Amino acid sequence: MSQTINFEYYCYRCGTKNGLTLQCPSAPEYHQTKLHCQNCSDETQVLVSHCPSCSRFVYWIDDMSIPDLVSGFARYMVHSMQTMIDKAAMQGATIGIDTPDKYPINATCPCGEKFVIEMPIPDLD
Ligand SMILES: [Zn+2]
Ligand SMILES: [Zn+2]
């Protein structure tokens, strides 16, 4: 179920209060978007997800895109695993690895509900 929320935040750079309407699907779905300060046009990333059991939502604000972090991390992991697999192959061993396609991020709502947001990990093959 997708819904909209009224989101307000204070710009990290100039302190201006910004308000906007965002899509906010229920966890484990999420919505990620860029915010531009209406005063200084400072750009930041926000990720929102709706609590599955109440009317509140959780959010993360960061200069970096969290999905990009996850995807960068996944790339790094896959690269290190490949090195390990190559080494094992040289020693005659075989390693089977299941790479997950979702990266879970734990969240706690002010209502006490704990839930998980699932970030898709891009297919890196
Ligand atoms: Zn600003
Ligand atoms: Zn809640």
Side-chain angles (χ1 to χ4, degrees):
M1 184 177 62
S2 193
Q3 43 207 319
T4 55
I5 53 161
N6 293 317
F7 184 78
E8 289 182 336
Y9 77 104
Y10 292 90
C11 174
Y12 285 156
R13 193 195 280 173
C14 73
T16 296
K17 186 180 182 184
N18 290 276
L20 68 170
T21 306
L22 294 179
Q23 291 289 322
C24 187
S26 283
E29 303 288 307
Y30 63 92
H31 177 67
Q32 146 100 28
T33 192
K34 275 187 185 150
L35 304 175
H36 294 271
C37 174
Q38 60 195 9
N39 180 48
C40 71
S41 72
D42 187 45
E43 188 180 288
T44 188
Q45 308 271 346
V46 68
L47 193 148
V48 290
S49 184
H50 212 284
C51 175
S53 60
C54 79
S55 62
R56 282 176 278 208
F57 59 93
V58 294
Y59 67 93
W60 291 262
I61 288 187
D62 209 303
D63 282 345
M64 292 178 75
S65 149
I66 293 172
D68 284 355
L69 280 180
V70 167
S71 128
F73 179 67
R75 241 172 272 277
Y76 168 77
M77 284 298 291
V78 166
H79 179 75
S80 329
M81 276 194 290
Q82 192 56 52
T83 310
M84 207 170 80
I85 291 166
D86 290 347
K87 276 190 191 142
M90 278 188 272
Q91 291 159 14
T94 312
I95 299 182
I97 292 174
D98 277 336
T99 37
D101 58 359
K102 296 233 168 71
Y103 181 84
I105 294 183
N106 295 309
T108 307
C109 178
C111 78
E113 178 80 8
K114 290 188 192 321
F115 54 93
V116 167
I117 291 159
E118 290 177 344
M119 209 131 292
I121 295 174
D123 193 354
L124 303 169
D125 292 340

